[in-house]
Amino acid sequence: MKTFTKTIEDFKCENCSTFVRGNGYTNHCPSCLWSKCVDISPGDRASDCMGMMHPVSATSTTITHKCETCGKIKNQKISDNDCTDMIINISVNPDLP
């Protein structure tokens, strides 16, 4: 059974260079919405991939990311501080195969 591991980490986005203050649930950049393939189970930071995850689609509650290295597809909850314009752009211009 998967269990969530809360990991509070600040990071510099490897896509847009925004400095992001983590809160233990932060899993993507709120500016460009890109993520990184770092977990096997949520929060464990046990993935060997470490590829960048492109935001390929969005709904009113989730962003779907696809890893550019391993192809993993993962849904993430939208955060209150995520860029609304980016979410709208991705939701009307999805990039899923």
Side-chain angles (χ1 to χ4, degrees):
M1 175 181 217
K2 293 181 183 178
T3 59
F4 178 76
T5 304
K6 184 176 179 178
T7 305
I8 299 174
E9 299 171 309
D10 297 336
F11 62 93
K12 182 178 179 182
C13 177
E14 292 181 29
N15 181 63
C16 72
S17 299
T18 296
F19 180 76
V20 180
R21 290 220 177 267
N23 65 9
Y25 303 102
T26 308
N27 54 25
H28 61 271
C29 174
S31 296
C32 69
L33 308 180
W34 281 63
S35 188
K36 194 166 179 181
C37 194
V38 296
D39 296 338
I40 293 173
S41 293
D44 68 6
R45 306 303 189 253
S47 176
D48 291 330
C49 178
M50 306 306 267
M52 292 299 294
M53 298 186 82
H54 183 117
V56 293
S57 67
T59 68
S60 60
T61 59
T62 62
I63 300 167
T64 301
H65 291 97
K66 182 175 181 182
C67 180
E68 295 188 325
T69 302
C70 72
K72 179 179 182 175
I73 294 176
K74 186 168 184 180
N75 291 320
Q76 309 285 348
K77 289 182 183 177
I78 288 176
S79 299
D80 291 340
N81 63 338
D82 285 345
C83 178
T84 304
D85 289 340
M86 291 294 291
I87 293 167
I88 292 168
N89 185 42
I90 294 167
S91 68
V92 297
N93 299 301
D95 192 24
L96 274 175

